[in-house]
Amino acid sequence: MNEGHHEVLAAWGLSLIDFAGVSRALDVGCGGGANLVRLRERMEGGHVTGLDYSELSVEVSRRTNAEAIAEGRCAVTQGDVAAMPFEDAAFNLVTGFETIYFWPDVQAGLAEALRVLAPGGQLLICNEADDTNESACELAASVDTMVVYAGEQLVCLFEGAGFEDVRWQRHPQTGHVAVVGRRPLSVR
């Protein structure tokens, strides 16, 4: 998960984020922890947290980020995206790479991302493929818990959860899809 096409996907997705003022970031579905490293590289100081449902992924991510954890610049927690163990407004940025496919309750996960974001904070969801990718759709059809979303569908889900300034992009060469939304400055 940490190398190859995931590295290309992460680099492109993170290039869509304005890191000015980002001091606290959360990567949901942190897997092996490489994106925690990438986030720290783009932030001046600050703290990065990883969250993953898998105990094994949490262990691997902690090993990958052991030095930063020891220095107090990183933490990795096991948990569920639909019930995140974090305080309200705890982060300026929440990212999710190749994970929303598997969220059992996308609306609950997006509502939690909104809750843990500070006003004006950004959510980035980045996927390798959308519903125009035939092989991804075939794979999803064979995996009961996997859903491949259209970019427009993700925009609607973001907006339904309360995000504003939502935009999506498809990378012209790779077909990667990214959606970015912002938590409103004031509660509606």
Side-chain angles (χ1 to χ4, degrees), residues 1-187:
M1 286 188 295
N2 287 340
E3 296 177 5
H5 66 275
H6 289 283
E7 185 173 351
V8 172
L9 174 71
W12 174 69
L14 291 173
S15 76
L16 304 175
I17 296 297
D18 176 5
F19 279 88
V22 175
S23 60
R24 297 164 287 135
L26 168 65
D27 185 40
V28 176
C30 64
N35 284 330
L36 299 175
V37 175
R38 292 180 185 109
L39 285 163
R40 279 195 320 275
E41 289 171 349
R42 286 164 175 79
M43 295 167 54
E44 292 188 28
H47 189 274
V48 178
T49 300
L51 177 75
D52 205 289
Y53 190 77
S54 162
E55 185 177 333
L56 177 59
S57 290
V58 168
E59 288 177 27
V60 173
S61 191
R62 285 178 178 160
R63 280 197 303 269
T64 301
N65 293 279
E67 184 178 326
I69 290 170
E71 295 170 351
R73 297 181 299 126
C74 182
V76 181
T77 302
Q78 187 173 3
D80 185 342
V81 66
M84 293 190 215
F86 308 114
E87 293 183 19
D88 295 356
F91 303 99
N92 310 108
L93 173 65
V94 175
T95 62
F97 294 88
E98 298 275 84
T99 65
I100 200 168
Y101 302 129
F102 304 103
W103 294 4
D105 185 342
V106 172
Q107 281 305 141
L110 291 173
E112 277 292 276
L114 188 74
R115 180 186 67 77
V116 302
L117 274 169
Q122 303 167 87
L123 170 63
L124 165 69
I125 295 293
C126 206
N127 293 336
E128 184 177 338
D130 66 3
D131 69 330
T132 64
N133 183 304
E134 191 174 315
S135 63
C137 291
E138 288 174 8
L139 175 63
S142 69
V143 178
D144 286 339
T145 59
M146 184 177 179
V147 178
V148 177
Y149 296 94
E152 297 91 347
Q153 187 178 16
L154 288 170
V155 168
C156 289
L157 290 166
F158 270 53
E159 290 174 344
F163 287 92
E164 62 183 21
D165 303 326
V166 180
R167 65 189 195 282
W168 79 278
Q169 294 184 40
R170 180 182 291 115
H171 191 283
Q173 284 82 37
T174 64
H176 296 158
V177 175
V179 182
V180 179
R182 189 173 299 280
R183 179 181 170 171
L185 293 175
S186 60
V187 179

